RNA sequence: GGGUAGGUGGCAGAGUGGCGAUGCGCGAGACUGCAGAUCUCGUUUAUUGGGGUUCGAUUCCCCACCUACCCUCCA
């Protein structure tokens, strides 16, 4: 299996640090608003990836943080006159709801930053004692000049970072690229006690504190959106590799391409943010997953409702083939087993090559065509093998909706048919319906106004 | 200005130093009581432009143009 690593800029053979165990960390959201389609892109991909690794026999420990204290949360609280921690609590719940509706279930632990304050403070303290950090009147900062590898992930040098900086210069910082580990309390802000007085953590420190706690100083994969490469992941490397003295912090840096809306970047300022729950009002979650997985995770995806409609046909073809073959019953025979397994091999080859989901999907489509063409000739073993493969596909990609049996609707339809039959005095049909339903504990009674039914 | 990904048919979207996947769409047939699903065939010069390396490039190198992202919070 090969994985593309942002740091080395090449596909590398995937070799976990400890046998079949995989330690995977993915940067979670800052919870100050509903999750949007961009979050869906990233988290659907890593969910699929984790599921696939497990399918291939790896034991994946998938850890994700949740940034529940941060400037944006505080600002939102200020604007709404609410406690910032109340806001982050609410949107953490909304986030979980959105992830569940996208059928994302592969994360082992969600770690909100505020639950790990002692770990965060401990790591800052060690950085300070080792001379990598210094205290000013407004906080504690990481001294980037102490870490000569700073910029290695984003392939930039400190000089160019300085040249391009449009940030207002903080007088207290020794170097413009120095970043906050701890921010001292300001009036009206949430705070925690620390050796530097009351305050709150900087943005980057929670991730390394949390991963150090669960994984130790080195682990296998760190993922996130490509907008996090600089400065966020750069800063994480600086913190972790400085405090542990061990390199590299992770062996595989994975970054998802960003999502645009009609070729424009999505953002609050553009006014084009689409929330996950908005889309799911109009489209099945499985269709959204199919759409997102139709592009390779490192490529940008352009989203529009029109495109969702356009791919609907391709998606339904897969779903329908699965539904139909699930209903097939045939005598024992298995003349297509090898061919069915060949499609499975194609899918594995694609996924083993840096999780090439578009190519994997094309092998699913080839398999669907094969099934459609040969369904009539298939034997029992062929059917079972096909269903098995479909189930495996769905356990990884989750693009097939669970069959929702609309029981009440179907009973209503049967009652209507029974009524039509009775009106035409075709009592053999109407009685057949009543008897068969009764056998399934559904009882019909004729009353003055028509029919009623109840379950025993 | 610096950094990073890319630019493939009507659309989406892979791959490869040497017949350019796959799906959708479109056209024509088949099947069919109706509907739906499905199948078959077709869709003529699809690899941004210009150089270079090579027997041969869409694939490698250089230049240009274009797109997105990062350099400020951002999945």
């Amino acid at each position: 299996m090969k994985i593309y690593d942002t740091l080395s800029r090449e596909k590398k053979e995937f070799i976990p640090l400890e046998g079949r165990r995989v330690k995977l960390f993915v940067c979670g959201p800052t919870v100050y608003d509903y999750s949007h389609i961009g979050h869906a892109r990233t988290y659907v991909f890593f969910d699929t990836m984790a599921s696939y690794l497990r399918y291939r026999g790896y034991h994946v420990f998938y850890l994700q943080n949740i940034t529940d204290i941060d400037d944006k949360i505080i600002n939102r609280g200020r604007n709404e006159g609410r406690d910032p921690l109340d806001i982050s609590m609410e949107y953490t719940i909304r986030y979980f709801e959105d992830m569940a509706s996208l059928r994302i279930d592969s994360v082992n632990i969600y770690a909100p930053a505020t639950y790990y304050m002692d770990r965060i403070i401990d790591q800052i303290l060690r950085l300070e004692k080792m001379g990598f950090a210094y205290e000013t009147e407004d906080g504690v900062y990481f001294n980037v000049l102490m870490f000569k590898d700073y910029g290695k992930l984003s392939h930039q040098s400190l000089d160019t970072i300085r040249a391009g900086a449009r940030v207002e210069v903080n007088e207290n910082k020794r170097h413009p690229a120095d970043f906050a580990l701890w921010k001292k309390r300001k009036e009206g802000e949430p705070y925690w006690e620390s050796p530097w007085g009351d305050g709150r953590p900087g943005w980057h420190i929670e991730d390394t504190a949390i991963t150090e706690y669960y994984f130790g100083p080195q682990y296998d994969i760190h993922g996130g959106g490509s907008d996090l490469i600089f400065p966020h992941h750069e800063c994480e490397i600086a913190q972790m590799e400085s405090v542990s003295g061990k390199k590299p912090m992770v062996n595989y840096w994975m970054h998802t391409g960003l999502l645009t809306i009609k070729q424009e970047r999505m953002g609050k300022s553009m006014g084009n943010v689409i929330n996950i729950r908005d889309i799911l009002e109009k489209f099945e979650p499985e269709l959204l997953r199919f759409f997102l997985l139709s592009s390779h995770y490192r490529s940008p995806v352009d989203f529009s409702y029109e495109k969702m409609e356009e791919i609907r046909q391709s998606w339904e073809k897969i779903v329908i083939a699965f539904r139909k073959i699930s209903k097939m019953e045939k005598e024992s025979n298995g003349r297509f087993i090898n061919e069915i397994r060949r499609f499975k091999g194609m899918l594995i080859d694609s996924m083993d090559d840096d999780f090439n989901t578009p190519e994997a999907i094309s092998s699913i489509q080839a398999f669907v065509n094969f099934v459609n063409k040969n369904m009539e000739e298939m034997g029992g073993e062929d059917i079972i093998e096909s269903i098995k493969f479909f189930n495996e596909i769905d356990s990884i990609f989750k693009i097939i909706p669970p069959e929702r049996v609309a029981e009440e609707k179907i009973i209503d339809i049967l009652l209507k048919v029974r009524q039509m039959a009775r009106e035409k005095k075709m009592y053999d049909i109407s009685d057949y319906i009543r008897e068969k339903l009764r056998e399934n504990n559904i009882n019909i009674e004729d009353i003055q106004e028509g029919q009623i039914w109840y379950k025993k």
Side-chain angles (χ1 to χ4, degrees):
Chain A
M1 184 178 302
K2 285 191 163 63
I3 296 181
Y4 181 87
D5 168 41
T6 308
L7 180 58
S8 59
R9 289 191 266 189
E10 60 187 13
K11 281 185 199 172
K12 302 195 303 194
E13 189 61 35
F14 179 53
I15 304 165
L17 290 168
E18 299 169 36
R20 302 296 282 179
R21 296 173 63 87
V22 178
K23 292 171 177 173
L24 165 67
F25 177 82
V26 174
C27 282
T30 301
V31 279
Y32 70 108
D33 207 337
Y34 290 115
S35 301
H36 53 65
I37 174 78
H39 295 113
R41 200 279 158 99
T42 294
Y43 300 130
V44 163
F45 168 70
F46 283 111
D47 177 64
T48 302
M49 183 184 98
S51 302
Y52 181 71
L53 288 171
R54 286 174 184 144
Y55 170 73
R56 296 287 277 140
Y58 291 98
H59 303 282
V60 181
F61 183 176
Y62 181 0
L63 175 66
Q64 199 178 105
N65 72 305
I66 289 180
T67 304
D68 59 349
I69 178 64
D70 146 278
D71 289 348
K72 288 192 294 299
I73 297 169
I74 292 169
N75 286 338
R76 175 124 190 185
R78 203 164 273 153
N79 292 340
E80 295 186 7
R82 277 173 73 186
D83 180 350
L85 295 181
D86 193 41
I87 302 227
S88 58
M89 179 71 82
E90 175 182 346
Y91 287 106
T92 299
I93 294 167
R94 300 293 164 247
Y95 174 67
F96 290 152
E97 288 171 355
D98 289 337
M99 292 303 105
S101 64
L102 289 171
R103 297 181 61 190
I104 288 170
D105 59 4
S106 55
V107 178
N108 295 89
I109 292 183
Y110 286 103
T114 58
Y115 288 38
Y116 297 84
M117 211 48 79
D118 52 339
R119 296 280 156 183
I120 290 170
I121 290 167
D122 178 71
Q123 196 173 80
I124 299 171
L125 209 50
R126 279 179 286 147
L127 280 167
E128 191 186 29
K129 279 181 182 159
M130 293 170 81
F132 291 106
Y134 57 91
E135 186 178 354
T136 70
E137 59 183 34
D138 68 341
V140 179
Y141 289 88
F142 187 93
N143 183 348
V144 293
L145 293 177
M146 290 288 292
F147 186 71
K148 62 175 171 44
D149 283 348
Y150 194 83
K152 69 177 173 182
L153 182 67
S154 55
H155 307 102
Q156 298 192 83
S157 71
L158 276 176
D159 297 336
T160 59
I161 291 167
R162 189 209 296 262
R166 278 173 282 159
V167 214
E168 53 187 273
V169 182
N170 181 332
E171 301 288 319
N172 294 312
K173 293 201 291 189
R174 296 180 190 171
H175 187 284
D178 287 354
F179 54 91
L181 299 169
W182 190 259
K183 295 180 176 181
K184 292 184 181 174
R185 176 188 178 187
K186 288 186 193 138
E187 192 54 39
E189 292 183 354
Y191 61 90
W192 288 260
E193 290 178 7
S194 83
W196 314 278
D198 296 341
R200 60 192 168 91
W203 178 32
H204 317 296
I205 196 72
E206 63 181 71
D207 289 10
T208 49
I210 288 166
T211 54
E212 186 183 29
Y213 177 60
Y214 287 105
F215 294 161
Q218 294 177 298
Y219 53 99
D220 299 298
I221 305 174
H222 186 125
S226 28
D227 52 345
L228 298 180
I229 295 172
F230 189 92
H232 186 51
H233 291 160
E234 204 72 73
C235 295
E236 284 190 49
I237 292 174
Q239 291 166 354
M240 196 66 245
E241 294 188 357
S242 295
V243 83
S244 73
K246 290 180 178 168
K247 302 179 186 207
M249 164 188 165
V250 296
N251 284 326
Y252 305 89
W253 282 96
M254 297 183 70
H255 293 99
T256 51
L258 297 196
L259 182 141
T260 51
I261 309 274
K262 293 187 176 171
Q263 306 290 358
E264 281 185 332
R265 69 162 293 170
M266 180 177 66
K268 288 254 193 304
S269 53
M270 306 293 292
N272 61 354
V273 175
I274 301 179
N275 292 329
I276 291 170
R277 47 191 67 205
D278 297 335
I279 296 169
L280 295 186
E281 277 179 19
K282 298 176 183 162
F283 299 96
E284 296 85 346
E286 291 81 6
L287 175 57
L288 179 57
R289 289 184 68 108
F290 182 77
F291 172 80
L292 294 171
L293 295 170
S294 298
S295 299
H296 189 266
Y297 75 91
R298 285 189 276 120
S299 306
V301 191
D302 189 56
F303 179 87
S304 71
Y305 286 107
E306 292 76 21
K307 283 182 179 168
M308 286 285 282
E309 283 302 349
E310 280 168 19
I311 60 146
R312 164 159 238 124
Q313 205 62 31
S314 323
W315 172 72
E316 282 183 350
K317 188 169 171 179
I318 296 169
V319 176
I320 290 169
F322 175 59
R323 295 276 189 257
K324 287 202 314 206
I325 201 161
S326 300
K327 303 289 188 294
M328 299 287 276
E329 284 180 30
K330 289 291 186 64
E331 288 182 11
S332 183
N333 195 352
R335 41 194 285 223
F336 296 115
I337 300 280
N338 285 337
E339 284 174 275
I340 294 165
R341 290 191 178 147
R342 201 165 49 80
F343 291 109
K344 191 187 290 194
M346 284 165 58
L347 183 138
I348 287 172
D349 287 346
S350 298
M351 290 298 283
D352 275 0
D353 182 15
D354 194 32
F355 310 104
N356 192 335
T357 54
E359 202 173 77
I361 285 173
S362 81
S363 62
I364 294 170
Q365 290 171 325
F367 169 63
V368 164
N369 284 339
F370 179 82
V371 166
N372 281 331
K373 199 169 166 179
N374 299 294
M375 205 180 303
E376 302 284 332
E377 284 75 42
M378 280 187 172
E381 280 83 348
D382 295 324
I383 304 282
I384 288 167
E385 189 70 21
S386 297
I387 293 172
K388 210 176 107 193
F389 184 32
F390 268 120
N391 282 327
E392 287 173 3
I393 288 168
D394 199 46
S395 71
I396 298 164
F397 301 98
K398 292 165 208 151
I399 52 172
I400 299 173
E403 207 158 15
R404 298 175 184 95
V405 181
E407 190 185 42
E408 303 221 349
K409 284 252 164 64
I410 291 166
I411 292 171
D412 283 346
I413 291 164
L414 282 171
L415 292 192
K416 187 78 184 169
V417 172
R418 180 168 175 272
Q419 187 189 325
M420 285 157 67
R422 291 179 74 212
E423 281 165 7
K424 293 183 175 164
K425 300 197 187 302
M426 297 157 80
Y427 296 114
D428 52 337
I429 293 175
S430 63
D431 290 350
Y432 177 81
I433 292 171
R434 185 176 57 199
E435 281 311 307
K436 284 295 166 189
L437 285 174
R438 179 181 293 164
E439 283 172 20
N440 288 286
N441 285 328
I442 293 160
N443 289 46
I444 300 173
E445 287 182 14
D446 293 308
I447 58 171
Q448 205 78 41
E449 293 78 21
Q451 315 169 69
I452 57 163
W453 68 270
Y454 58 88
K455 272 172 103 169
K456 251 205 277 197

